[in-house]
Amino acid sequence: MEKLTGLNKLKTAVFISGTGSNFKNLIKFSKIKTTPISINLVISNTHKAKGLKYADQIKIKKRIFNFKDIEDTEKKILILLKREKINFVCLAGFMKMLSRNFIKQFDGKIINIHPSLLPKYKGLNTHRRAILNKDKFAGCTVHYVTEKLDSGKIIMQKKIKITAKDNARSLAKKILAQEHKLYPAAIMKIFN
Ligand code: GRF
């Protein structure tokens, strides 16, 4: 993709459902002059997402959709994204699946971060599964989003060692710290 800096940064929406530490980290990253994205909108499927508080603090536009009627919700989101001239989407702890039709509208422009070394451990409880399986390594992956869960083309991965002392909680903490490095690095990779 073309190199984007300064004024022609790609207008980006971040989709969240929870704490929003990746969202917060992406905001920090987007403020760097040479980064290719600006974050203009945050979308959540729940009012309870803690990350929304941060959006309020820094006065970024936020919208909440309950996803009860997925088709209707996606239609509304697409209208909003168009209106806000959003052309890149980062999923960051977003717990809803997007349909093939939605993804088609943003072909190759929706990416996600997942806390495992994909294709291993798609879905939930990745850290617990890695510990239970006595894996030696774990990690995180940034990948393009397709309609199949955690299955799109991999952009970047970071692998870390699981130590004898690790449990699911400590592993999650270690991996999250790596996610905060990996997500910006993967975005840089896409646009450089
Ligand atoms: C991260 O581990 C991310 O990989 C996963 O959900 C978690 C979200 O964390 N999909 P946060 O909301 O960004 O703090």
Side-chain angles (χ1 to χ4, degrees), residues 33-76:
K33 214 173 164 187
T34 51
T35 57
I37 61 163
S38 65
I39 295 171
N40 303 80
L41 176 67
V42 57
I43 288 180
S44 174
N45 62 306
T46 165
H47 284 92
K48 290 183 187 150
K50 286 195 193 131
L52 293 173
K53 287 205 181 100
Y54 183 64
D56 286 339
Q57 274 170 35
I58 58 168
K59 298 192 170 51
I60 279 202
K61 190 171 279 187
K62 63 162 198 219
R63 291 289 181 272
I64 297 119
F65 295 91
N66 65 24
F67 277 78
K68 272 187 190 143
D69 178 338
I70 295 180
E71 215 180 307
D72 179 61
T73 302
E74 288 190 340
K75 229 184 249 169
K76 286 181 179 148

Side-chain angles (χ1 to χ4, degrees), residues 16-24 91-95 112-116 127 140-141 172 175-176 179-180:
I16 64 169
S17 300
T19 316
S21 71
N22 277 291
F23 162 57
K24 206 167 169 177
L91 308 185
F94 183 62
M95 301 302 282
N112 180 42
I113 188 150
H114 183 74
S116 80
H127 313 102
C140 45
T141 305
I175 291 178
L176 193 62
E179 290 182 37
H180 295 162

